[in-house]
Amino acid sequence: MNNIMDFIDKYLTRLSLPKVGVTDLVEIAILAVLVYQIMLWIKNTRAWMLLKGIVVLGVFILLAYIFNMNTILWIASKTINVAIIAVVIVFQPELRKALEQLGRRNFLSAIFAFDNSKEGTERFSDRTVNEIVKAVYEMSKVKTGALIVVEQNIMLNEYERTGIQLDSLLSSQLLINIFEHNTPLHDGAIIVRGNRIVSATCYLPLSDSMSLGKELGTRHRAAVGISEATDSLTIVVSEETGKVSIAIGGELIRNIEAEVLKKYLVSIQNKSMDFKRFRLWRGRAKNEKNADK
């Protein structure tokens, strides 16, 4: 009991409210946003279970400090450095993914011109947009499963090498033929670069996001996985329902119509565009993402 009273007297009775200025409020707001983003990232990865374990250990260490359990405190002080290194090693893929996503934020690209060489260059033609949309909804009608990855700024060479190289001019007939049942190239994803299909039967990383529904299959998890690792736009046609979904920026938007898909493709063509209208399109699509029931 004396230890508890000493702890209260030492740390709690001397608390006083500091003077808060404008700079302090701005700093608090920045820290709040950073903590929220970190917590959001932790919740959507395997780190969520780790965080709960760390909280439990923290409570035990606090109790050990209050009750002067010196052996437990000595063990904790000797193992904390090793534990930090172990966490970094175990969660290296998640940390790398988080840093990549931070580097792709629009506010950074607006301040620092990391790569302006592609600005003003059309990524693919209007014909390619129309051919993709046409093929996707033809396959949707007959419930032919498909997985189409459209490359943007981040090159997909490492995923391209996992498949069979094609380097073929994109057309709706070719897309439909690739994903036709029992054909040699129907399993896996295709990668579109510019106006060409560069590779088929590619393997993509599966997302381990906790927010994805249990009813979603491998295609949808692969689509979200590649969108978490790169800035690509991935189109999925469900083999069970025929519904069309897209994954971009780690988000899966389900059950979209042809017009919405076309607007997303046009938005990544690298043309001059009205960003306000694109936000309206994106908002409209978000309202439909849970409609695939």
Side-chain angles (χ1 to χ4, degrees), residues 105-148:
R105 295 294 186 187
N106 291 333
F107 63 83
L108 287 180
S109 60
I111 298 173
F112 304 104
F114 290 114
D115 183 11
N116 293 326
S117 60
K118 296 183 180 179
E119 286 188 6
T121 304
E122 185 176 279
R123 187 169 283 122
F124 44 80
S125 66
D126 291 336
R127 175 188 173 278
T128 296
V129 172
N130 294 329
E131 292 293 305
I132 291 175
V133 174
K134 179 181 177 181
V136 164
Y137 284 91
E138 286 294 329
M139 290 186 287
S140 173
K141 290 178 183 177
V142 294
K143 297 184 179 180
T144 298
L147 189 57
I148 304 169

Side-chain angles (χ1 to χ4, degrees), residues 70-81:
N70 295 322
T71 304
I72 295 178
L73 293 176
W74 180 85
I75 293 173
S77 65
K78 296 300 180 182
T79 59
I80 187 168
N81 293 332

Side-chain angles (χ1 to χ4, degrees), residues 40-46 92-105 147 149-150 152 154-156 158-159 204-213 216 218-236 246-253 282:
L40 194 63
W41 169 75
I42 288 174
K43 187 175 181 180
N44 291 328
T45 64
R46 293 178 298 168
Q92 183 269 337
E94 283 80 5
L95 293 172
R96 177 184 173 183
K97 187 185 299 181
L99 291 174
E100 287 176 347
Q101 290 176 347
L102 181 62
R104 296 201 300 269
R105 295 294 186 187
L147 189 57
V149 184
V150 182
Q152 294 199 64
I154 297 177
M155 302 294 288
L156 303 176
E158 61 179 299
Y159 306 105
L204 304 180
L206 299 181
S207 173
D208 56 2
S209 174
M210 302 294 184
S211 61
L212 294 177
L216 296 178
T218 304
R219 280 194 182 93
H220 292 83
R221 289 194 171 273
V224 176
I226 191 66
S227 74
E228 290 172 342
T230 70
D231 63 348
S232 61
L233 183 148
T234 304
I235 306 166
V236 188
I246 61 171
I248 186 168
E251 179 186 2
L252 182 67
I253 304 170
R282 186 171 178 83

